[in-house]
Each structure stands twice: as structure tokens, then as C-alpha cells.
Amino acid sequence: MADRLAALLTHFAVTAKVFHTGVLCGIHDLADEQAVGYLHLIRRGRLVVSHGQGAAVQVTEPSLLLYPLPMAHRFISDGDQGIDTACARLHFDGGAANPIVAALPAFSCLPLAELEGAGGILDLLFNEAARQHCGRQAVLDRLFEVLLIQVLRHLMEHGQTQAGMLAGMAHPRLRHALVAMHEQAARDWTLAALAVQAGMSRSVFAHTFREVVGCTPGMYLQRWRMALAQKLLLQGQSLKLIAGDTGYGSEAALSRAFKAQTGLSPRQWLGQRGQRPASLPTVQ
């Protein structure tokens, strides 16, 4: 069976940078930093988490808090006992355009006891955090990245996803069509060909896909291609190469699709992100 996460993580990697391990007491504010998410592990202690005007969240058992996108939040813990925690900043390739980010809630709180199969990773992570071995930072960063994959598995396997890409990847049939699109974005996919991948009739596939994922297969494929195109643009690739990698016959066709999706030409889109578009031709 094809790996549902392999293509996603190959094209849109996530990196973690641990910035705190140990006890926190009292009030701590975590900023809404540009292009940075957070993953917090609460090993021990009681915590109140507030998000501005939203309702506060009570954490009363060992838990994992995930913020895939920047969101300011405040930790309020007991001033004497505090909480035993490990915290990392997350960077998703593509930022808000990363399909994984787009498929996740803005905030998730999961009890650690519910993360089946993650016990070994958690034990290793907390043991490493308590020591000062050579390479400690690198080991902790990689363990947080592995843990995030465990979280994605958990959300898919337990149906804890709303309509969207992760919900589709949790579906026993739709996931085959989604993996095929992820792995072969440049292929000229038809509704019939995708239905064959899913082992469904065209009509049932189209209806089920829209109901579970929230859009048509054609729209999903276009969004996936545009996410790939944006990532490759930021890496400095030429429109000619990107057009070939994303299934568009020419630079002009890619530019038209890009503008229809984003409202901007590739050159304008790069300019908004402070990138130098000099290597791009002036195709609008």
C-alpha cells in the first residue's frame, strides 16, 4: 500500500527547533512569530492556555499542544509547582500554502496517552531533554519531527480530521487517488483515471471526494499543483522547469493558472514575499 505521508513530507518538509525544556512557572507569553508554529509537550502539571479573546483551554493531564501556524498564546501555570514541558518551534515548507498546514486545525490539544505507538519516542525525548549529551539539540529537534508524524498518523487513523486533505487520506478508498496525485502531479489526470485509482465508479468517486475532501478532484489537483509551484518558485526554479513538474504544457499556461489561483502573476507573488524575480521571464 502506498505511503500516504511520504509524498507530502518529501515535497513539504517540516523542521523543528527546540527552544525550551524543563519547568515553567507562572505566566509565559508566546509570540505570534512570522512563519513559525509551535509544538508543546506537557509532561506534568496543570495549565491554562489562553488565545486572546477565545475561550481558555484547561490542560489537566500530560498533553501535546500543536499550532501549525503562528498564533499568540499564553501559558498560565501554578507559580510554585509549574509544568514540566518541552517546546519547539515548527517551520513548514511553504508556510500557510503547505498542504499539511492547510489540513490541520489552528490549535490541537491531544492527551499523550492517546498517541498510540508514541510512547518510545516520548520516553526518548524526555530522557534526552534531561541530559546534556553531545548533539542534544539535534537529537531533540529530530525527535520532535518524528513526533509530529505520529500526530498526523493519529489524526488520520482515528478520524479526528474535518473535511479536507487529511480526511481524504483517512478514507480507505479516496486516499489511493490522493496519493497518486501527490506522487504524479504532472500526469494528465482525468476523473475516470482517478476513480480507477480509488476503485470506485466515476459518479461515486466524484460525490464521495467532494463530500469528504470539500472540493472536486480537479480543484484539489489544481491546488496541489499550485502549492508545488509556489514552493519551487521560492527555491529559485525557473517557470519552464516548474511547468514541467506540475503538469502545465508551457510557462504561459502555468502563469495563467497561477494568476487564476492566487490573483497574482508568479513575478508579483514572489515580489510580495521579498524574493528577487529577476530570473523569471515576463510571462503574465
Side-chain angles (χ1 to χ4, degrees):
M1 184 177 67
D3 189 324
R4 289 174 282 173
L5 290 174
L8 279 172
L9 294 171
T10 297
H11 289 297
F12 296 96
V14 58
T15 55
K17 191 72 173 178
V18 174
F19 65 93
H20 173 80
T21 61
V23 176
L24 283 177
C25 299
I27 297 176
H28 293 270
D29 290 309
L30 293 109
D32 178 2
E33 298 188 28
Q34 184 178 9
V36 172
Y38 289 96
L39 181 56
H40 304 291
L41 297 177
I42 313 301
R43 187 183 191 186
R44 176 190 55 78
R46 301 170 68 88
L47 174 69
V48 175
V49 186
S50 66
H51 305 104
Q53 301 300 317
V57 176
Q58 303 276 344
V59 179
T60 59
E61 61 181 310
S63 298
L64 175 151
L65 312 179
L66 173 62
Y67 299 83
L69 283 174
M71 179 188 292
H73 48 290
R74 169 175 287 183
F75 283 177
I76 306 171
S77 59
D78 184 276
D80 297 319
Q81 297 293 326
I83 55 171
D84 185 7
T85 183
C87 304
R89 294 183 179 90
L90 301 177
H91 173 76
F92 291 86
D93 275 3
N98 186 307
I100 298 174
V101 171
L104 289 170
F107 168 68
S108 298
C109 179
L110 298 173
L112 296 184
E114 292 184 6
L115 289 175
E116 297 175 10
I121 295 295
L122 290 168
D123 288 342
L124 183 58
L125 191 155
F126 285 122
N127 286 338
E128 188 70 24
R131 292 169 171 80
Q132 294 296 326
H133 291 315
C134 180
R136 174 179 180 271
Q137 180 74 50
V139 170
L140 287 174
D141 293 347
R142 300 296 87 77
L143 289 173
F144 262 92
E145 291 162 11
V146 172
L147 184 61
L148 180 61
I149 296 174
Q150 296 274 10
V151 173
L152 295 175
R153 286 178 180 171
H154 173 86
L155 293 174
M156 290 189 300
E157 292 172 359
H158 290 81
Q160 296 180 12
T161 54
Q162 300 175 348
M165 180 261 291
L166 288 181
M169 292 177 70
H171 191 280
R173 291 185 178 272
L174 294 183
R175 65 188 184 192
H176 299 298
L178 286 166
V179 169
M181 285 189 274
H182 294 164
E183 293 181 342
Q184 303 176 62
R187 179 172 168 178
D188 185 17
W189 288 107
T190 64
L191 181 64
L194 289 170
V196 168
Q197 293 288 328
M200 305 165 77
S201 70
R202 285 192 302 173
S203 59
V204 172
F205 171 72
H207 173 77
T208 306
F209 194 100
R210 187 173 191 120
E211 187 175 70
V212 174
V213 181
C215 65
T216 66
M219 185 176 296
Y220 181 89
L221 179 60
Q222 182 182 19
R223 291 173 180 171
W224 172 251
R225 287 172 168 173
M226 284 299 105
L228 289 176
Q230 289 172 358
K231 177 204 168 189
L232 295 172
L233 277 171
L234 290 172
Q235 292 177 348
Q237 287 202 25
S238 69
L239 283 182
K240 182 177 180 180
L241 290 176
I242 296 172
D245 288 342
T246 54
Y248 294 97
S250 66
E251 299 168 44
L254 170 60
S255 292
R256 286 193 296 270
F258 195 99
K259 192 163 188 176
Q261 182 75 21
T262 67
L264 300 170
S265 70
R267 178 180 294 273
Q268 292 167 335
W269 185 85
L270 275 178
Q272 281 196 349
R273 281 149 185 80
Q275 303 289 320
R276 295 182 61 187
S279 62
L280 291 178
T282 57
V283 179
Q284 301 294 323

